[in-house]
Amino acid sequence: MSRYVYFFGGGHADGTAAMKDVLGGKGAGLAEMTNLGVSVPPGFTISAELCIEYIKTRTYPGTLREEVAANLQRVEELIGRSFGALSRPLLVSVRSGAAVSMPGMMDTILNLGLNDAVAEALAAETGSPAFAYDAYRRLVQMYGDVVLGLKGPRSPFEALLRAKKETRGVKRDIDLPAEDLAALVGQYKEAIHRLAGVDFPENPDAQLWGAIEAVWRSWLGERAVAYRLLNHISETLGTAVSVVAMVFGNLGEDSGTGVAFTRDPSTGAREFFGEFLVNAQGEDVVAGIRTPEPITKMAERLPAAYTQLVETKERLERHYRDMQDLEFTVERGRLYLLQTRNAKRAGAAAVRIAVDMVGEGLISDEEALLRVAPEALEQMLHPTVDPRAECRVVVTGLPASPGAAAGQVVFDAQEAFAWAAEGKPVILVRAETSPEDIRGMAAAKGILTARGGMTSHAAVVARGMGKCCVVGAAGLEVDPDAGTMCADGGSFRRGDWITLDGSTGRVIAGRVALVSPSTGEHFERFMKWADRYRRLRVRANADTPADAARARAFGAEGIGLCRTEHMFFAADRIEWIQKMILAKDSAGRRRSLAKLLPMQREDFEAIFEAMDGLPVTIRLLDPPLHEFLPHEPEAIAALAKDLGLSAARLTAMVESLRETNPMLGHRGCRPGISHPEITEMQSRAIFEAAVALARRGLKPVPEVMIPLVADVAEYRNQAELVRRVASEVFLKARHEVSYLVGTMIELPRAALTADAIAQEAEFFSYGTNDLTQTTFGLSRDDAGRFLPAYVERGLLPQDPFQVLDQRGVGKLIRLGIELGRGVRKDLKVGICGEHGGEPSSVGFCHTVGMTYVSCSPFRVPIARLAAAQAALKERGLEDRTAATV
Amino acid sequence: MSRYVYFFGGGHADGTAAMKDVLGGKGAGLAEMTNLGVSVPPGFTISAELCIEYIKTRTYPGTLREEVAANLQRVEELIGRSFGALSRPLLVSVRSGAAVSMPGMMDTILNLGLNDAVAEALAAETGSPAFAYDAYRRLVQMYGDVVLGLKGPRSPFEALLRAKKETRGVKRDIDLPAEDLAALVGQYKEAIHRLAGVDFPENPDAQLWGAIEAVWRSWLGERAVAYRLLNHISETLGTAVSVVAMVFGNLGEDSGTGVAFTRDPSTGAREFFGEFLVNAQGEDVVAGIRTPEPITKMAERLPAAYTQLVETKERLERHYRDMQDLEFTVERGRLYLLQTRNAKRAGAAAVRIAVDMVGEGLISDEEALLRVAPEALEQMLHPTVDPRAECRVVVTGLPASPGAAAGQVVFDAQEAFAWAAEGKPVILVRAETSPEDIRGMAAAKGILTARGGMTSHAAVVARGMGKCCVVGAAGLEVDPDAGTMCADGGSFRRGDWITLDGSTGRVIAGRVALVSPSTGEHFERFMKWADRYRRLRVRANADTPADAARARAFGAEGIGLCRTEHMFFAADRIEWIQKMILAKDSAGRRRSLAKLLPMQREDFEAIFEAMDGLPVTIRLLDPPLHEFLPHEPEAIAALAKDLGLSAARLTAMVESLRETNPMLGHRGCRPGISHPEITEMQSRAIFEAAVALARRGLKPVPEVMIPLVADVAEYRNQAELVRRVASEVFLKARHEVSYLVGTMIELPRAALTADAIAQEAEFFSYGTNDLTQTTFGLSRDDAGRFLPAYVERGLLPQDPFQVLDQRGVGKLIRLGIELGRGVRKDLKVGICGEHGGEPSSVGFCHTVGMTYVSCSPFRVPIARLAAAQAALKERGLEDRTAATV
C-alpha cells in the first residue's frame, strides 16, 4: 500500500527536510523541527502527489481517509484532546505548502473542529467564551471564503463584522463581547446559506475534508497560476496539505504570537530581528490594527518563551546553516514554532550574511558564493526605491536598466540637456529614443519610453550608461507637443515629478525616497572569492573613457565591445558623418572622414589609457548609415543649407537610403565593404592611438572587430584592409603594437560556417542580440507588441532578448565554437550581447567554454559572481541561492 | 624533363579528347580528330599550365623553346614547308583554347611566318601577290592589335584600310590589288612604330614567341576575366596555346571556308546545317560583307570536299555522340577540319537531339536526360525574343521571371487593368510593386520594376503567374506622376512600346518579334524519362485554380504552397480584411471574418477540384496585417468614410501598425496566435471546402501549413486550433476527410529545434526565401543595393536568393531533416521557396533526402528534369549537359 500521510509530533517525525517534494516546504520544515526536538504542535502532512491526482480526477485513493483518521488519532493521543469532542476538543489547521515557496498564493483554514456544541465546550474549558466564539467566527468566515468559494467581492463577512462593531461602538475585533461573536457566527452561517446555497457543516470530519480538498483546489487559483508562470514553477508539483493541531496566542497575557528573522534581513547584521504581539493570533500581526512590538521586548513580556525562542533560533540557524524566517506562537507560556524557512533578504544582506557565515565557520567560501543570487548584487550598485516608501504606481513598464531615480519630466532631449545644465534632475520621457537623443539621455537621471523592449535603443544605451530606465510602458501616451504624458495611473505635465524604478519597471507619481547604493568590505571580500573560483573572464561593454574607468572599477578585465558609432553622435562630429554619407563619391567621403580621423583617434587614446594593459575590442561602424541622417524637417533644412542643396533634394536623398528592414540591410561590415575608406579611417584612428600610447610607455591592447559577417569572404575583405592600415601606421611611426583582428558572430550563417571564418579570424565575439533576432526571425524593435503576451501565455519560457535561448540560439553558439576551435584550437571566444550580464546566460557561456563575457559596466560584478557559480556548479556543488526581497 | 608540347598531324597525335585540362578544348579537339584520321592541318599544343606560370612570373621553362622548335620541325617535315623559308614557306596560326569554352574571349593570331622577303616568296609560289600581301597585311594588323596592344579605339588599321579602299574606289577588301595591299603593309608598320614605339618583327621566330606570350596574356584580358566571373570558371585553369599550320581558303575558286553544325541548332532537326564561302578566309564569314551560302550548296561548288565533309561530320558525331559544331577550310580542293566541339543549341533543339539520339541508338535515355540543362526547358515554355531581331537595349535588370513580352508602357496598376480590358497589351512599370498592384500585374503582359531583387514582390508574383518580369533595373528612373521612365538607353512615355526579356533581364526599345513557345512529342517523351528516373516529387506553388490547373498540366504532383493571402486582395474581399484588421475587438474581427469565410471556402473548393486526388498544402495567412491596409491618402480617406472614422484617425491607426522591420515582425503564425479567430476562419474554410468536395465524390487532400514557427509551442497552439475546427466541421457534416497539419521551416530556430517540432508536426516545408534572409541577416527587399556588387566582386559565389546557399542555409536544412526524421521517421519534407525550381538547388534537395520540391508552375518541368539528373548523378553518371544558346 502506498503511503500518503506523514506524521510529526512528540519529538519524532516520519519526514525530514529533504522531503520537500512530498511534504512541501512547510511540511518538511515542521517534520525537520520536530526531529530536531524543537517545540512544534503535532500534526501530519498529506503528500503533494495527491493534489495533482485530485485536480485531474476530483477523487483520492480510498485508503487516504483511513490514513488521515489514524494520524489524527495519534495527534489526539499525543496532546490528550479529541477532534469534535465536547470535552477537551482538538482544533486543527489545514495548511498548504508546495516544494517551492509560493508565499500567500494558496489557502489555509484555521480552527477546524468547531461547531455550536464544541464551541460551547471550548468556552467552558478555557473560561473564555469570547475566545471560543472568536475562533468559531474565524472558522466560519474562512470556511465560507475558501472552501465554499465566497472569497472576493461577494464575501459578506467583513461587512457583517463591521456592522457589529459599529452597533457595539468598538473599533477592534477583540473588543467585541462573546455574545456578539456568537451572534456573528449565526449571521455568517445565514449568509453562507444564502450565497453559497449550502450550509456550513457542523460535522468536524466534513469540515476537515472540505478544507483538505479546498487547499488542493487552491493550487489552480488564479493568483497561484500567475505566480508560477512568473517564477517558472512547474504546474505539476502540486501542494502538500499539513493538518496541524491548533495552538492559540490569544488565550491571555501569557500568550502571544510573532514572526522573526535570525539576522537583519535588510542589512544582514547578526541581530535577532522580528516582531510579536501579546494575546493575539498570527493574522492580527499581519492585519496591522495593533502595532507589534520589537522581538527584543519579548524578553520582558514573555521571558521564558523568549529564552526558549532565542535558543531555538540559534539551533535552527546552525542546523540549516542559513538565516531563518520563523513563525511562532506562545500558548499560556509555552513556545510553539509553526514554521521555519530560509529567509528572504536584501541584496546587501545576502552578501553580508554569506561572508559572515564563512567567518563563523558555518559555510565555506564556495557555499557563500552559491548563496547569493547574482541579480541581488544589482541592488548594491544602484540607488533603489526605499521599501518603506508609499508608492502610487502610474504605470509599469519593462525594467530595462536597474536603479531608481526621481526627477522632473521633460519630453525632449535638448530640453533634458538644458534643464540638467541648470542643475535640475530630469527624467527624459519619449515614445521611443533614437540616436539623436543620446545627449539628452546622458544628461537625464532616468529614461522612460512608451515603446520598445529590453533591447531597444533606450534600454541598451541606458544600461551602458548605468542609468535607470523603464521602457515599453504599455498604456503610456506621450504627447511631446502638448508637453504631457498620461496613463491609467495619472497625467503629468512637463516639469512634474516622477520616480522611476528601473529594477521593477514601476513609474511612480511624485518624488519618492531612495536608498543609496552601498558596497563595502563584505562586498569586496565576496567578489574576491568569486574571482578566485571563476574561469570565465569578464569584460565590459563601454564606449567612452568614463564607462571604461567605471567598468574597470567594477572589476572588468578589458572591454569586450566598444561601439564606435556612439562617438559619431557628438555635435562636432555628426555633421561630418552626415556629409560623408551624402558625399557623391569616394573622394568626397574621404574629405569628411579626414575631419573625423583626429576625433576618433582621441577617443581611442582615452579609452586605451583607461584600459591600460587590458584588451579593448573595438567594433567597426555597425549601424545602417541612414541612422545618422536627420529625419525631422528642421534638421534636414539645416543640413541642406550647409550642403548647398535644396531641402527637397536632401529629403529625397535621405528617403532613398531608407530601408524596408534596416536590421537586415546595409549595415555591419557591409558599408565598410561598399566604402572601404570608412574602415580605413577607423583602423587608422585605432592604430595611431595605440602607437601614441605605446610611445608614452603605456600598453594598449587593441582587438579590432568586424561586425555582421555572414561569409568569410566579407571578413577577409575587411581584415585585409585593417591589417594593411596597421602596417602603414606602424611603418610610418617606426613602432609596432601587437593587436588582433576578429569578428562578431551574430548571424546564423556565421555560426554555421565558423570553421571557414576561424581560418582567418583571431577571435569570435557572439553578438547574441542580433543572433537572437535572426535565429527567431524577431525584430527586437517590433517584438514588444506580442512577445510579452507570448511569455505570459507560456509560448516562450522567457523573453529571449533577456535570457539567452539555450535550445535554439545556444545550439548555434555551441556549433560555432566547435567549428571554430576545430580549426583554431586557441580561438578566443566571447559574448558581447545583452546576455553577457544575465546570470543563467553567463552560466551557459561558461559551460560551452567561452573565454569571456562582456556586459554593461554595472553588470560586471553580477557576471563575475555568475561565472564563479557556474564553475562551482560544474564541480557538483549545489545551488542554494537565497531568495532576495 | 616535364613535357609541355603535344604534337598532332599525319594521322597521329600525342594528345586525346580526354586531355582538355592540358590541351584546352581546341587542342584536344585537334588531337582527337587527328587520331580519328580526320584531315586536320598539323601542329602542336603548349600545355595550359604554362599560361598561369607565365602570368605569375613572366617567364617560361628554358626547355620550352627547344620543344617548340622540335615540334615545329615535325610540322615542317610533314608538309614539306619551312617556317621563315624563302622557298615553300610555312605559315602558322597561334590559337588560344581553355579547358572550358570561352568563345571569342581570348586571342588568335594568323599567318605568322611572313615578312617582306617571305611574302615575296609566297607571292611567287602561289602566283598570287594579292593573296600573299593580303595575308601579310592581316598578320601585321593582328600582330599590332593583339601582341603589341593596339586593339581598341587606338587601332589604326581599319582606318588605313578604309582610306585605301576609298582611294581605289572599291568596296570589298578582296578587290584591292596586290600593290595596294603591299602599300598597306608599309603603312601598318609605320603606324605600329609610331603608336606602339616598337617595330613589327621581321624575324618569324620573334613573331611566333610574341604571339604565344600574347595568347597567354589574353587570359587576363578584361572580357575574359568578366566572362569567367559570370560563368563561374576558375581563374587558375589558364589557356593552352595551339600552333597550327595555316591552310588557306582564299587561294581561288577551288578553295573556301565555312562553319557547320551536324544538326539544326535551333530546332534539333537531323539536317546538316551551316554556311560556307568560296575563296575566303574564316574571318570573312564572320565579317558579314559577303553573304555566305548554305552548306548544302557546297555540294555543287566544291563537290569532292563536300562529300568528304559529310562523311567527316557523320564520323565526328558518332565519335563524340553529340551534335558537333565544325570549322573547316578547303585549300585547293582539299578539306581541312580546324575545329570540332559539342555545339551549343536552343532549348527545344537540346531536347529533340537528345531524344533523337536515343532513337538512333547513340545514347541511352539516362544520357539523354543528362544532356539537357534544366534551364533550357524554360525556352520551350515561354515566348522568347527572336534571336534574329535587332535589339536596342534600354537598360538591363535582373531576369526575374522568364519569357518575353512586348507591350505599351503604363505606370499605374489600375491603368494597366483598364488598358488591358480594352485589349491593349501593356507592360506595367513601377519603382517597385506592392500587393495593391496585383490586379494590374495580372492584366499586364509583363512587369518591369526599377528596384527589388529576384525574390522581390514583383518577381515572386510574376513567376507565380508565369508572367515575364524584369526587376531591379538599376539606373531606370520611373516617374509615375509625369508618366515617364528613363534610363541611359532612352526615355519613354505612357503608351510607348517596349519589349521585356525576362530570361536575360533586357529591356528593349519598341516592339520586337517574339518566338512562340513549343513543347510537343519530343518534350513529352523526354519528360516521361525524367519522371521514370527521379525520386523527388515535384509540386507547384499555386494560389488560384488557374495556376493549379496549369501546374497540373506541367506535371505537378500537388500544390506545395498555396498562399491564402493573395486571395484577400480581390476587390470584394480587401474591404473585409481591412475591417477585420481595424476591428476593436475579437467580436468585430469575427464579424468581418464571417464575410470572408464563404469566399475562402469557394477558393479552396476550386483549388481542391483542380488538384483532385493530389495533396494541396495551404499556408495560413502569413504577411504582416499592415500589408493589407491602404497607404495612399485617397484610399485611406475612402476606407475611413466607410468605417465612419476621420481620415486622421485611420492614418494614425495604420501608422501605429507600421513596423521597423516588418520581415521580423508580427507575421507568420504570430497574428494567428494573437487573433485565433483568423486561423479558425481559414481552417473552417479549408475543411468545409474539403467536405463539400468529398461529398461530390472527389478526393481533396488538404495539408494545412503553419507559417514562421520559431518554437514548437507556437506550432502546437495553432495546430490544436486547426484540429479542433476540423473536428467540429467533420462532426457537423457527419463526414471526415483525412488531412495533415505541418509547418514551414523558415527560421533558423525552427531548423535547430526541428526534433521538438517534428514531435507534433506531420510535415516540414522549407521556406528557403525567409530562411536565407534570416540565416544571412539579409532582407531581400534591401539587398538589391549591394548584393549584386557582392556577387560581381566574388564575395559571394551567387545570389543566395536565386541559388540555395548549401554551405550555410543548406547546413541548417540538413540539420533540420536529421533532427526531424530522428523523431518521426516518415516525416514528409519539402521545399517551397524560390529555390524549389532552381536546378542546382533541386539537386541539393534530392541529396538531403527531401520528399518533394515545390516551385512556380512554369518551373515544374525544370524541377522534374533536375530531380532526374540528381538521381542519375547519384548513381555516378556523368553530367554532360550541352551548352544552350
Side-chain angles (χ1 to χ4, degrees), chain B residues 238-304:
Chain B
T239 179
V241 180
S242 292
V243 179
V244 191
M246 286 297 302
V247 289
F248 295 96
N250 55 348
L251 281 174
E253 294 302 306
D254 58 351
S255 300
T257 188
V259 297
F261 295 86
T262 55
R263 308 193 182 211
D264 184 326
S266 299
T267 66
R270 201 180 172 190
E271 289 156 9
F272 194 27
F273 185 92
E275 297 174 323
F276 83 110
L277 268 176
V278 164
N279 196 12
Q281 289 241 63
E283 51 184 349
D284 298 329
V285 180
V286 181
I289 297 167
R290 288 166 61 195
T291 304
E293 296 181 80
I295 198 80
T296 42
K297 283 273 180 194
M298 193 177 155
E300 300 161 26
R301 303 288 299 270
L302 300 163

Side-chain angles (χ1 to χ4, degrees), chain A residues 10 47 127 140 206 290 301-302 381 420 467 583 590 624 640 656 695 731 734 737 771 788 837 844:
Chain A
S47 165
V140 178
R290 289 166 60 195
R301 302 289 298 270
L302 299 163
L381 306 172
K467 197 171 292 277
R590 280 179 193 282
S656 79
R695 280 184 161 158
L731 195 72
R734 298 172 185 274
V737 173
L771 193 58
F844 175 79

Side-chain angles (χ1 to χ4, degrees), chain A residues 714 749 752 790 805 811, chain B residues 714 749 752 790 805 811:
Chain A
E714 296 171 289
R749 198 173 186 282
L752 291 162
Y790 262 49
D805 161 50
K811 197 179 257 183
Chain B
E714 296 172 288
R749 198 172 186 282
L752 291 162
Y790 262 49
D805 161 51
K811 199 180 256 184

Side-chain angles (χ1 to χ4, degrees), chain A residues 46 104 110 134 137 159 205 252 392 437 441 471 572 591 608 646 661 677 701 738 744 755 777 812:
Chain A
I46 302 171
L110 306 177
D134 188 51
R137 169 192 73 81
D205 242 31
R392 184 161 70 78
D437 296 325
M441 294 170 77
V471 299
D572 54 342
R591 274 192 298 277
F608 285 140
S646 74
N661 295 287
E677 50 276 9
V701 188
S738 64
M744 301 275 281
D755 43 354
L812 275 180

